[in-house]
Amino acid sequence: MKRDFLNYKIAELSELQDDAKRKAIAYFHERITAFNPELNAFLEVLPLSANYSSGSLSGIPYALKDNILARGTRTTCASDILKDYISPYDATVTARLKAEGAVLMGKTNLDEFAMGSSTENSAFGPSKNPWDLNRIPGGSSGGSAAAVAAGLVPFALGSDTGGSVRQPAAFCGVVGYKPSYGLVSRYGLVAFASSLDQIGPLTRCVDDAYAVFKTIARKDINDATTINNGVNLKANDLPKIDLKGIRIAVPSDALDFEGLDERVKSRFLEFVERLTEKGAKVSFIELGILKYVVATYYLIAPGEASSNLSRYDGVRYGERVESENYEEMIKKNRDIGFGDEVKRRILLGTFTLSSAYYDAYYRRALKIRRIISDRINKVLQEHDFILNPTTPTLPGKIGEISDPLTYYLMDIYTIPANLAGMPAISVPIDPVDGLPVGVQFMGKRLSDLQLLSVAKEAEKLSGAYENGLAKLPERWLHV
Amino acid sequence: MYKTIIGLEIHAQLSTKTKAFCSCQADVFELEPNTAICPVCTGQPGALPVLNKTVVEYAVKAAVAFNCSINLRSSFDRKNYFYPDLPKGYQITQYFTPIAENGYLEFKLDGNEKRVRIRRIHIEEDAGKMIHQDADSISGASGSLVNLNRCGVPLIEIVTEPDISSPKEARVFMELLRDTLRAIDICSGDMEKGALRCDANISVVDEESGTSSNRVEVKNINSFKFVEKALEFERERIIKALEQGTDVDRETRTWNFTKRETISMRSKEEENDYRYFPEPDLPPLQLSGEFVEKVRKNLPELPQQRVQRLIQQYGIPEYDASVLGSDVKISLFFEEVSRVTGKPKDASNWIMTELMREINQRGIPIDEMPIGPEHFKVLFQLLDQGKISAKIAKELFPLMVETGKTPDQLVKERGMEQISDEKLIEEIVLRAMESNPKAVQQYRDGKKNVMGYFVGAVMKETRGKANPAVVNEIVRRLLES
Ligand SMILES: [Zn+2]
């Protein structure tokens, strides 16, 4: 029986003969063409091309979140202000994937400039959740998550500033991994909040996440925040880890959070039970910082964003509106170029960085960020991992939530990893009412391999998998 | 009596090969617009800065030369504002922790020792350049062109304490600062080319009443002459206001070259809030003590050290030493000429006057001049031997510079040897006495200055080549015999 390409892990696809690889590439291209109109996962689909080099990802189709540059393609950040911007160079991750033979199929949808948790804040319309087209795929890497969850590509890259890879992975029932800050170069990732942003893969299993991570991670001379000798990436396979005796901390304050959906909570506790049965030592602890993380994040991230986005003045990018003078022109250009959420965060960031309020807000947020880091480090000295639901809720209906604060709170479990620079991964567990649920493991800084190893063990306890790959919704199985 | 208080903020362009945060060429003065740019320095989406190590080394050199204490851990920050020549919308600078602080520079002015404290030295990147059509600023211009070549060019900003007490002092300080930057070879010091720029803060205190004026900032001063001129103008303007019982506005002004006055740029209220915050794309800059020590040890001689050494080693006057010592190439040339000729004072005289004049007129730097110490050696010998007069020597000098020939060659070629032949001179003098007996009588009646007439006659006939000492002696002897 000829196996469907949807049932291949990346390692298996890369071992195919050349003609089979070409068939696989054409197959995924056909799926994208057929399904994207419904999903709006891709903003740009590249023409079918079977040119690829040899390498560890030879002939593997993939998608890039449209805030990552690929020379010659449009990089819009889902914003009107960049709608015609052609990347003049390759992002480091793009260049590394190309060098290992991966085949770029297109650019995926996102919340404008990666600001949002639903992919509804896209200037080009929302993406749909492959499990329920009326629901959001999460965000901001919602297009990448939807593309992987519908089997349009074996993997996609996203960017994660406060949970933007892990949260849509949880909503779409796939694996989303944010590496330790500094392991993956940000060169060519359009900056949202530089000290928090990190590129990470969305895949259908942890092995695939590792295969992609191995290719894109390492020091980059173009990004001064990348580090040397962080993690040994030589091994072909992940190190084996035994759940027996693993010390896992579950923050009880996360479970007490009033926004936590009861169904998500009970699925999560069932999963914790399975871990315990396998011999993991689970302790419920008081993390004590959760009530500060959202506030801290929404001081630091918009501050950096307000600065990072000031280059979009409508002169070099975007549309230019005729005006009386320079100041008026910039105001008008930015007014028509940016969406509401982006404007909201620019205003917030501009305010908190202003000299009158810097000490009261920004400086204090930097201090609290340090306290949060210290607290997480302390817990991770006594435990190997921290485990919590990836998101407090199930994916909502498109247009359902209009209050930005509600959205901001959806990232409460994912933000700590960004503030502290820790690696974290979301793995799908058994769904609720046909909707995916994810759990997040967070590890010590640079413990990425152990983190991936424990996540791989967790997959074995999950009802979301079949033959080692996250299940796809029935309706996308056949073109 | 009024007391003047001046503080300076000086931007010095570092003469590194590449820009501060990318590998584009840093010396962009003569390049076509927008030819030395890349995704990083033009702030393309996704591009990131990477710090140029040479920039750090140069900044540390300056810090050591200006007696600063160096922060082994410093950091970068963003200064945010909108302007079309600032493609990222912010400038990378060091605001919260600069690379160096608390230095000073000492110099002598009108016989007094002066110390100007330096508050801080920090690294930053330059912005681009704009050309506005039909207007002085972007608002109201019919069009504006942007040249991004200067974006990311490395600068250090040197900020003084308000220790400078006169416009002249400001100029002398700036000149010494330039000489020092040149001596340590980190900045060309050319104000005309924008490699050195200066903003000044000035206020005036009425010492009788104790009232002090608002502080006025004079921006974009681009020549050493204008440092003094602009501050003098501003000082007078402020004093006039104080005398009328009012005060000047606290504002930023700029020196208008054509009107020879300062004009208002913007008031205090119009100033930006730069929203400084730590640059998240660059990790803090960590220096080792060994690195700083190595820079300190390899620091070349500074202008003032050199002046003291020239005085001691060559016995030349302080004035000569300060003129020669301000430029490393000129002082090296002086030392070489002194060594070869064994005549430091003569070397100093000739270099300070004749050679400097040639350098200035021809616009050729000293190391491209076709004459060397040998030329001076031969020149001094010819003078000593009486083969040429000082006057002839001065005529010879430009010819030497022009042709590269030694003075003896030129003398031979052009028949410019001095005439010391007493017989020949005697003949000429006697002829002159015969043809003008009236003048001879005048001399003998006591009108001694008539002697000049006879000397002149000899010079005229020998076309200036007669040895003046011999001529004088003979004329006197014959007239008095
Ligand atoms: Zn450049």
Side-chain angles (χ1 to χ4, degrees):
Chain A
M1 191 187 84
K2 182 172 156 284
R3 283 172 66 191
D4 192 299
F5 289 119
L6 290 176
N7 297 329
Y8 285 66
K9 284 189 174 184
I10 285 176
E12 296 164 331
L13 277 172
S14 71
E15 279 162 14
L16 294 175
Q17 297 297 312
D18 267 344
D19 58 336
K21 274 182 190 162
R22 277 194 289 273
K23 272 183 201 153
I25 294 166
Y27 170 77
F28 282 107
H29 188 265
E30 194 188 342
R31 290 182 61 83
I32 295 169
T33 320
F35 295 139
N36 192 54
E38 281 174 277
L39 289 163
N40 198 29
F42 282 82
L43 294 179
E44 184 177 11
V45 180
L46 296 175
L48 177 62
S49 157
N51 291 329
Y52 54 87
S53 65
S54 59
S56 64
L57 298 176
S58 179
I60 310 293
Y62 79 101
L64 276 181
K65 185 175 181 178
D66 203 27
N67 60 352
I68 301 172
L69 273 66
R71 194 188 170 115
T73 69
R74 251 198 298 276
T75 299
T76 68
C77 294
S79 180
D80 273 331
I81 214 157
L82 277 177
K83 66 181 171 202
D84 298 319
Y85 181 68
I86 308 286
S87 315
Y89 65 98
D90 270 336
T92 297
V93 290
T94 310
R96 287 179 179 171
L97 289 171
K98 192 187 280 174
E100 287 296 326
V103 181
L104 180 63
M105 307 297 279
K107 309 293 291 290
T108 53
N109 202 3
L110 65 151
D111 286 303
E112 184 177 2
F113 284 103
M115 297 177 190
S117 306
S118 67
T119 313
E120 289 167 288
N121 304 321
S122 164
F124 310 112
S127 293
K128 312 286 169 61
N129 191 317
W131 294 91
D132 177 348
L133 290 175
N134 294 315
R135 291 180 188 271
I136 58 168
S140 62
S141 311
S144 286
V148 173
L152 306 191
V153 276
F155 79 90
L157 291 189
S159 66
D160 190 314
T161 308
S164 282
V165 163
R166 291 159 285 156
Q167 187 256 29
F171 280 179
C172 291
V174 294
V175 173
Y177 162 47
K178 183 201 87 75
S180 295
Y181 186 82
L183 286 183
V184 176
S185 169
R186 292 180 295 112
Y187 187 71
L189 164 68
V190 179
F192 160 15
S194 314
S195 74
L196 303 162
D197 294 342
Q198 189 70 169
I199 292 174
L202 289 123
T203 56
R204 287 177 56 210
C205 67
V206 174
D207 277 336
D208 286 0
Y210 176 59
V212 176
F213 171 63
K214 237 172 42 165
T215 305
I216 59 176
R218 74 185 175 273
K219 171 88 186 157
D220 177 15
I221 54 161
N222 291 320
D223 179 353
T225 61
T226 55
I227 49 177
N228 255 329
N229 312 320
V231 170
N232 174 22
L233 298 165
K234 299 255 161 62
N236 272 331
D237 297 312
L238 282 168
K240 284 263 180 303
I241 201 166
D242 194 343
L243 283 180
K244 198 163 286 169
I246 289 273
R247 297 165 304 168
I248 293 174
V250 173
S252 45
D253 33 352
L255 300 180
D256 294 341
F257 172 57
E258 58 179 21
L260 177 58
D261 186 302
E262 279 305 322
R263 295 167 293 175
V264 173
K265 184 175 176 178
S266 64
R267 273 289 178 276
F268 173 74
L269 289 173
E270 276 168 39
F271 183 74
V272 169
E273 195 55 42
R274 287 182 209 169
L275 283 169
T276 316
E277 280 163 15
K278 291 288 172 191
K281 278 171 62 184
V282 175
S283 0
F284 289 85
I285 55 124
E286 193 71 27
L287 199 52
I289 52 160
L290 279 174
K291 52 180 173 286
Y292 307 119
V293 302
V294 173
T296 305
Y297 178 83
Y298 279 95
L299 291 171
I300 290 174
E304 292 184 15
S306 70
S307 172
N308 283 330
L309 267 57
S310 50
R311 72 193 65 192
Y312 309 112
D313 54 9
V315 177
R316 286 170 301 267
Y317 321 100
E319 232 151 291
R320 197 193 302 200
V321 185
E322 283 299 323
S323 304
E324 278 298 296
N325 59 44
Y326 173 67
E327 283 80 21
E328 282 306 312
M329 176 181 74
I330 300 298
K331 282 181 196 167
K332 283 187 193 166
N333 291 347
R334 286 168 70 84
D335 188 30
I336 62 160
F338 289 132
D340 287 348
E341 183 59 28
V342 171
K343 282 184 210 163
R344 187 176 294 123
R345 297 199 194 188
I346 289 174
L347 288 174
L348 188 57
T350 305
F351 177 78
T352 56
L353 287 181
S354 64
S355 56
Y357 296 97
Y358 184 84
D359 286 342
Y361 293 115
Y362 201 80
R363 189 191 294 277
R364 192 170 296 180
L366 291 177
K367 272 188 199 154
I368 296 175
R369 180 179 186 176
R370 170 56 56 87
I371 291 168
I372 290 170
S373 271
D374 290 348
R375 174 62 191 149
I376 293 172
N377 269 313
K378 181 133 195 304
V379 171
L380 285 172
Q381 273 164 22
E382 291 150 10
H383 303 88
D384 299 307
F385 305 101
I386 296 174
L387 178 69
N388 49 250
T390 307
T391 65
T393 64
L394 295 166
K397 294 240 170 73
I398 291 171
E400 188 179 43
I401 303 174
S402 55
D403 169 24
L405 267 182
T406 308
Y407 268 124
Y408 294 174
L409 283 169
M410 275 163 53
D411 296 333
I412 186 166
Y413 300 147
T414 48
I415 287 172
N418 301 81
L419 289 174
M422 307 296 186
I425 188 167
S426 176
V427 174
I429 56 171
D430 298 49
V432 170
D433 304 334
L435 293 173
V437 177
V439 294
Q440 172 189 270
F441 288 89
M442 171 164 54
K444 295 181 188 71
R445 191 163 152 68
L446 303 181
S447 73
D448 291 62
L449 292 190
Q450 293 92 308
L451 179 77
L452 289 165
S453 296
V454 80
K456 190 175 166 178
E457 290 305 310
E459 287 181 317
K460 296 176 187 162
L461 309 178
S462 164
Y465 286 79
E466 203 168 62
N467 299 322
L469 285 164
K471 284 183 210 162
L472 302 184
E474 191 64 33
R475 70 174 286 171
W476 313 109
L477 286 182
H478 307 287
V479 184
Chain B
M1 275 295 282
Y2 293 98
K3 200 173 117 194
T4 311
I5 299 169
I6 298 169
L8 300 177
E9 290 168 15
I10 299 123
H11 283 98
Q13 177 181 338
L14 300 178
S15 46
T16 53
K17 280 203 187 71
T18 56
K19 290 185 181 178
F21 302 112
C22 64
S23 50
C24 291
Q25 185 181 333
D27 180 11
V28 298
F29 184 69
E30 279 166 337
L31 296 184
E32 286 290 306
N34 299 312
T35 53
I37 56 173
C38 75
V40 175
C41 56
T42 57
Q44 297 283 311
L48 296 171
V50 177
L51 179 60
N52 178 348
K53 286 200 177 75
T54 313
V55 167
V56 177
E57 188 195 321
Y58 282 15
V60 171
K61 264 177 141 178
V64 173
F66 297 139
N67 308 294
C68 292
S69 60
I70 289 158
N71 292 320
L72 291 183
R73 188 184 166 91
S74 60
S75 54
F76 291 92
D77 307 293
R78 289 189 187 173
K79 177 182 183 177
N80 295 281
Y81 62 96
F82 285 101
Y83 207 66
D85 69 0
L86 191 69
K88 294 193 293 289
Y90 58 84
Q91 215 171 347
I92 302 176
T93 181
Q94 295 190 301
Y95 177 74
F96 293 108
T97 316
I99 192 162
E101 291 170 283
N102 302 324
Y104 61 86
L105 208 53
E106 283 174 330
F107 53 96
K108 235 181 197 169
L109 181 60
D110 302 331
N112 298 318
E113 288 289 344
K114 178 76 194 185
R115 173 184 277 217
V116 173
R117 289 169 300 156
I118 286 163
R119 185 181 297 165
R120 51 148 58 206
I121 296 179
H122 63 253
I123 298 169
E124 65 181 37
E125 58 175 339
D126 208 346
K129 217 179 162 174
M130 296 204 70
I131 301 163
H132 302 300
Q133 289 162 334
D134 312 316
D136 286 338
S137 72
I138 190 161
S139 286
S142 63
S144 296
L145 300 170
V146 190
N147 179 358
L148 298 179
N149 278 351
R150 284 196 75 92
C151 289
V153 164
L155 309 174
I156 49 170
E157 182 172 350
I158 303 160
V159 183
T160 77
E161 297 289 348
D163 289 349
I164 298 167
S165 41
S166 75
K168 184 180 176 190
E169 213 173 280
R171 179 173 57 77
V172 172
F173 173 84
M174 277 299 289
E175 283 169 352
L176 176 59
L177 184 118
R178 173 203 50 193
D179 295 342
T180 307
L181 292 171
R182 280 181 175 167
I184 58 176
D185 202 17
I186 66 163
C187 171
S188 74
D190 295 329
M191 278 194 107
E192 324 73 62
K193 294 184 183 174
L196 200 59
R197 286 169 291 178
C198 168
D199 301 339
N201 285 303
I202 177 169
S203 60
V204 173
V205 181
D206 180 346
E207 285 188 309
E208 273 159 45
S209 66
T211 43
S212 119
S213 78
N214 274 329
R215 206 175 66 203
V216 175
E217 188 181 23
V218 186
K219 267 204 170 314
N220 307 331
I221 304 172
N222 59 5
S223 96
F224 291 95
K225 213 164 59 191
F226 296 157
V227 172
E228 194 171 351
K229 284 249 164 17
L231 289 173
E232 265 167 10
F233 178 90
E234 202 49 39
R235 184 175 184 274
E236 293 311 308
R237 196 179 68 89
I238 295 172
I239 289 174
K240 204 176 278 172
L242 288 181
E243 278 172 352
Q244 287 166 352
T246 57
D247 191 3
V248 294
D249 291 332
R250 184 162 178 204
E251 63 178 353
T252 300
R253 298 174 73 84
T254 179
W255 175 248
N256 185 305
F257 172 76
T258 40
K259 291 182 182 160
R260 312 214 138 243
E261 61 183 31
T262 64
I263 53 169
S264 181
M265 277 173 82
R266 58 174 179 264
S267 70
K268 187 76 201 130
E269 287 71 41
E270 289 171 286
E271 258 166 45
N272 273 308
D273 178 348
Y274 291 116
R275 294 178 284 121
Y276 289 100
F277 76 103
E279 164 59 89
D281 288 330
L282 288 168
L285 175 58
Q286 187 73 48
L287 301 176
S288 70
E290 295 91 77
F291 173 78
V292 174
E293 271 323 298
K294 207 174 133 197
V295 172
R296 195 188 300 276
K297 225 175 270 164
N298 293 330
L299 203 70
E301 191 178 37
L302 299 178
Q304 284 162 302
Q305 297 169 335
R306 195 181 307 128
V307 168
Q308 290 311 310
R309 186 173 59 78
L310 292 181
I311 295 171
Q312 281 171 6
Q313 197 173 333
Y314 297 96
I316 55 171
E318 187 174 340
Y319 174 77
D320 294 27
S322 65
V323 173
L324 296 170
S326 69
D327 185 304
V328 61
K329 283 177 182 164
I330 290 189
S331 71
L332 277 177
F333 190 81
F334 160 75
E335 292 193 63
E336 194 56 22
V337 173
S338 298
R339 196 180 60 76
V340 171
T341 63
K343 290 170 173 259
K345 181 57 194 150
D346 290 346
S348 157
N349 286 346
W350 278 88
I351 291 170
M352 285 200 307
T353 55
E354 306 304 316
L355 181 60
M356 298 277 236
R357 180 188 304 131
E358 294 299 323
I359 288 173
N360 291 335
Q361 279 177 359
R362 290 169 199 265
I364 302 173
I366 192 160
D367 45 355
E368 286 167 30
M369 281 278 168
I371 58 167
E374 269 314 302
H375 290 77
F376 284 88
K377 187 178 177 186
V378 176
L379 187 72
F380 292 177
Q381 278 169 354
L382 292 175
L383 278 165
D384 280 353
Q385 294 160 356
K387 288 195 176 149
I388 54 170
S389 65
K391 187 164 169 287
I392 294 285
K394 284 182 181 169
E395 282 173 29
L396 275 174
F397 199 81
L399 295 172
M400 286 157 57
V401 173
E402 199 161 301
T403 62
K405 289 178 180 167
T406 52
D408 53 345
Q409 270 180 299
L410 289 166
V411 165
K412 209 169 283 167
E413 272 176 29
R414 308 193 178 207
M416 290 166 89
E417 274 132 330
Q418 179 160 263
I419 299 165
S420 301
D421 185 336
E422 296 190 13
K423 235 177 165 168
L424 181 75
I425 296 170
E426 255 183 46
E427 275 171 28
I428 302 171
V429 178
L430 286 171
R431 256 200 323 269
M433 287 168 73
E434 262 167 46
S435 62
N436 197 345
K438 205 174 147 197
V440 177
Q441 195 52 51
Q442 281 176 332
Y443 182 88
R444 288 178 179 158
D445 291 345
K447 223 176 164 193
K448 301 288 182 201
N449 60 0
V450 177
M451 192 178 143
Y453 165 79
F454 294 101
V455 173
V458 178
M459 286 302 175
K460 196 173 170 194
E461 194 151 336
T462 59
R463 282 179 289 138
K465 288 187 287 180
N467 183 329
V470 177
V471 175
N472 272 319
E473 204 237 285
I474 291 175
V475 168
R476 186 175 297 114
R477 178 160 51 81
L478 291 176
L479 283 172
E480 285 179 0
S481 66

